[in-house]
Structure formats: structure tokens, C-alpha cells
Amino acid sequence: MSIYFSLSKDEAQIVHSAFRYRVFTILCACIIVLTCMNKHQVVGLLRQMEKILKGQEIRFTEGLRIMKSKLASLQNSVSKLPQADQSAAPTACPSLEAPTHGTKFGSKYFVGHEVHFTCAQGYQLVGSATRACRDNGTWTGAGAVCKDVSECASSPCQNGGTCVQGVNQYRCTCPQNWSGSHCQHQTQTAPPEWSVMNDPAFSRRPRCAQVNQARHCSCDAGFHMSGTSDNSICQDVNECEVYRLDQGGKLCVHECVNVPGSYHCYCPSGYKLLPDGRSCEDVDECLSQKHNCSQGTSCINTGGGFRCVNPECPRSHGNTSYVKTSPFQCERNPCPMDSRSCHHAPKTMSFHYLSQPSNLQTPATLFRMATAVAPGRTGPDSLRFGIAGGNSRGIFVMQRSDRQTGELILVQQLRGPQEISVDVDMSEYSGRAFQAKHVARVHVLVSPYSF
């Protein structure tokens, strides 16, 4: 930044006008005096006035020279000051884009903010899954790229089948006498898969009538005509196989069982069949009191069953100890004033159990964490959310949904049965000073079924 000083044409004219005004004032005074003097006195006075004017002109010129010199020195000093725009620290980082075949979580690029990346199914993340904006305006970590994962690498085809890789899928080319999606079935010469043969229970004699010297036969619903016109029979249609072969999806949500002329849907243990005859719904053993949890434990309903739990508080360590205030929450006992480690330990720890189906569509918000303020009291100035443990495989991300709420988001599909535990923390700040930390331990209980 440079500052330049100079006299414009108007400014110079103003200075010069001041000089002329002073001369004019002297001349007016002289004219008044001349009217009272003789010629000799007038000549002497004029010479004296000429000397005065020359002195004034010399001082005026010298004054302008000194003024210009001082302005030049001031301009030179100001130009040596550090540039303001160069000394200002950056407040944000460059924007980041989601990788091809991937998703980006986080839209704030200010210092201290984080951005997370995940890849679609069939792709593997190469680079950093999480990047944070540093104080110098650059991102931590390396750029995220989603690379295609070959599903044939796991050799899914059996019995000598050849795996053919496609776009996010694969297909098995089976050798002779083998069939199935993984070449797992031996091929047999048989009637259509959807026709039930050689079982009297699945056969019916057709209903025939003579009309105009012609014989017409028909079968009941759920059967099809088989054989010759002279020796026909009604064979059962296996609706479960028809629906599967037409690739119309599942006729039953869980298990389809063919019966003569129809079919029945069945649900796994711990589920009940809904009135539509196709769908299954979990039975809540805890709500219906069909559990055997002992006193001191709590019943948690899961997909197809239940679990008896009794979460324990963290063990005492140094000056830090906890007391259980409810079946699913522990609170820290008061800390000694001089114990820094105690004050930085979690103030509260809560336990949460979430029952989820297999292959839940992602991204999916599983859990929200927020602060609660008592009436008449002010809350913290700011909150910080994070994952403290249990996320080694990058299954979850934590992001802020508003100023007071953080969300735990599932970004990878899970197949059950399995249980995954993750610790989510929320830190309270007053200004920049740490106030307290709260931890929620979330247990995700994944059912073996996708309903």
C-alpha cells in the first residue's frame, strides 16, 4: 500500500491566492498613505515596499520547497510499511468437490471445519476420508478418489465357472451340467421349474365339457394344462418359482412355500406375518413382556429377538469416578478444583441401542446429539461434535445439522447379524474455554434380515 502527496492545480492556486491577498493588503495600505505624502516620500516608500515584496516571495518559495520535501519523506516512510492484505491470515480453504462415484459430507470451508468423503458400493476410497481446514488456508490429508473394486477378485463362481465383470456387478458363466448365479446347482433335465410334476398332491384332473361335438377342458386357478388333448392333466403352478424367474422381485418378503394351487409366505422366528400375507413385522418381546430378562437388567428389542443389557459406568481413574443415575446414564462425581484430568473427562456418559435391518440404504441418520439447557440458564457459546472411538472402518461420519445438534450418519451398508459400537462426543465451550464433554455410546444391532 503506497500513499502519494502532491499539490493539485486548485491547491496551488489557493496558496498563490493567499500570497496575492497579502500583497494586495500592503498595496491598499500604501495607497492610503500616499495620499498624504509628497513625491520624495512616495519614491522612498515604493522602494521600501519593493524590498518587502521580494522578501515575501523568497519566503513563499522556500516554504513550498520545505513542504514538498516533507511530503516526499512521508510518502517514502509509508511505502515501507508491511502490506495489510499480505499480513492478514486466511479464514477459509479452497472448496472441495465430491469424488466421482462418491459423496461429500460438509459444506463449510472455514478454518477448523472438516469435510468427509465416502464411495458408492463397488468402489474403494483412495486418499483421505476426512480433511480439515488448517490455519494457513490449506487442507490436511490427500485428495479422495473412488476406484472400482472388481467383484471377481473374490472368485464367487463355483465348480469351474468363469466370472465376467460388469458395471458394479458380475455374472458367472457356468460349465456344462452346472447352473445358478454362482454355478452352485447341477443341471437336471426336467420340465419347467415352475411346474410341479410327479406328485399326486399337486395334480388335478381337468374339468371337461362337450360343446358342439368338441371337448373343452380347463384347470382351476393355480394349475396349468399338461399332456395331450386325449390325456391331459392339471399340474400345479409353482408361483414362488414363476415370480423368481420373471425377476419381478420377491413374492414373499422372507420365505415363499408352494402349496397345491397357491402359495404361502412365512416369516422367520421373532417376526409375524402382516395382513397383506407377504410382509413380515418384528415382534417386540420387550413391549409384550415375552422376555426373560432378570431384575437389574433392561430389555432391548432387536430384529427377531431381544437382548438383556446392564451397561456399566467407566471405571474410576485417579480423581475421576462415576455414579449411575439411570439404567442408561452415568454422571461424573464432582472433581477436585486442581484436577485438570478430571475436568476434561466426560461429564456424562449415556448408552443407546439401535436395532437396524441389513443393507439399510445409505447415507442414513441413526442418532442425534444436542445440549439441554435448564430454564433461566444460558447455554454454551459453541459445541463441537466428533467420533471418539469405534469407527476404525469409516462406517460412520459425524456432522452438525444446526448450531446445537450433531448427527451420526451411517455411510456404509451393513449386513447382519452383527453389533457395532461407536462413541460420539459433544464438547461445550464458553468463548474458547473448554467447559464440559458428554459421551454417548451407540450400539448398532444389525439384524440378519433386510426388513
Side-chain angles (χ1 to χ4, degrees), residues 264-283:
H264 289 313
C265 294
Y266 293 91
C267 297
S269 175
Y271 291 83
K272 63 181 179 181
L273 191 66
L274 292 180
D276 65 2
R278 299 179 58 248
S279 306
C280 297
E281 183 181 69
D282 176 54
V283 175

Side-chain angles (χ1 to χ4, degrees), residues 85-386:
D85 55 349
Q86 293 178 354
S87 60
T91 59
C93 291
S95 62
L96 296 175
E97 299 297 330
T100 305
H101 306 296
T103 306
K104 180 188 71 174
F105 297 91
S107 58
K108 301 296 176 71
Y109 305 136
F110 299 112
V111 171
H113 281 72
E114 293 183 348
V115 176
H116 309 276
F117 303 95
T118 60
C119 292
Q121 189 174 4
Y123 292 87
Q124 182 179 7
L125 181 70
V126 177
S128 300
T130 299
R131 303 187 71 182
C133 182
R134 294 185 284 209
D135 293 337
N136 60 1
T138 62
W139 292 98
T140 61
V145 178
C146 294
K147 289 192 174 181
D148 185 20
V149 177
S150 174
E151 297 188 44
C152 288
S154 60
S155 302
C157 302
Q158 306 172 19
N159 302 307
T162 302
C163 184
V164 179
Q165 183 70 38
V167 180
N168 295 333
Q169 61 181 353
Y170 67 93
R171 179 173 56 85
C172 290
T173 302
C174 302
Q176 189 175 7
N177 298 328
W178 291 97
S179 64
S181 59
H182 297 87
C183 305
Q184 72 274 29
H185 301 304
Q186 276 192 303
T187 304
Q188 297 178 353
T189 303
E193 293 184 50
W194 47 263
S195 179
V196 180
M197 306 291 290
N198 302 323
D199 189 339
F202 288 84
S203 301
R204 299 285 188 274
R205 295 192 61 85
R207 295 192 306 271
C208 298
Q210 198 79 15
V211 180
N212 297 330
Q213 298 182 351
R215 191 167 184 252
H216 295 273
C217 297
S218 63
C219 296
D220 294 333
F223 292 84
H224 73 100
M225 191 76 68
S226 178
T228 65
S229 58
D230 295 331
N231 186 24
S232 59
I233 190 171
C234 293
Q235 298 287 354
D236 174 65
V237 174
N238 188 335
E239 293 85 357
C240 303
E241 285 298 308
V242 171
Y243 211 81
R244 182 183 68 83
L245 295 173
D246 287 345
Q247 297 181 350
K250 287 186 175 181
L251 185 59
C252 299
V253 168
H254 179 59
E255 182 181 4
C256 181
V257 177
N258 185 55
V259 296
S262 185
Y263 68 95
H264 289 313
C265 294
Y266 293 91
C267 297
S269 175
Y271 291 83
K272 63 181 179 181
L273 191 66
L274 292 180
D276 65 2
R278 299 179 58 248
S279 306
C280 297
E281 183 181 69
D282 176 54
V283 175
D284 192 335
E285 292 85 358
C286 300
L287 185 63
S288 59
Q289 297 294 317
K290 295 180 180 179
H291 63 84
N292 56 358
C293 295
S294 60
Q295 188 174 2
T297 64
S298 300
C299 179
I300 300 297
N301 185 60
T302 62
F306 65 94
R307 180 174 296 186
C308 303
V309 300
N310 183 23
E312 296 182 356
C313 296
R315 294 182 179 179
S316 300
H317 180 73
N319 294 321
T320 307
S321 61
Y322 290 85
V323 60
K324 203 167 187 179
T325 56
S326 73
F328 298 101
Q329 179 156 323
C330 300
E331 293 188 11
R332 190 188 65 206
N333 288 314
C335 294
M337 293 297 294
D338 58 347
S339 178
R340 178 181 174 85
S341 61
C342 180
H343 285 287
H344 280 76
K347 186 177 181 180
T348 64
M349 188 164 188
S350 56
F351 303 87
H352 309 266
Y353 297 84
L354 309 178
S355 180
Q356 299 294 329
S358 285
N359 301 318
L360 180 66
Q361 187 174 358
T362 58
T365 301
L366 299 184
F367 180 76
R368 288 184 174 90
M369 193 174 190
T371 184
V373 181
R377 300 187 63 181
T378 58
D381 294 337
S382 62
L383 298 173
R384 296 182 185 176
F385 300 92

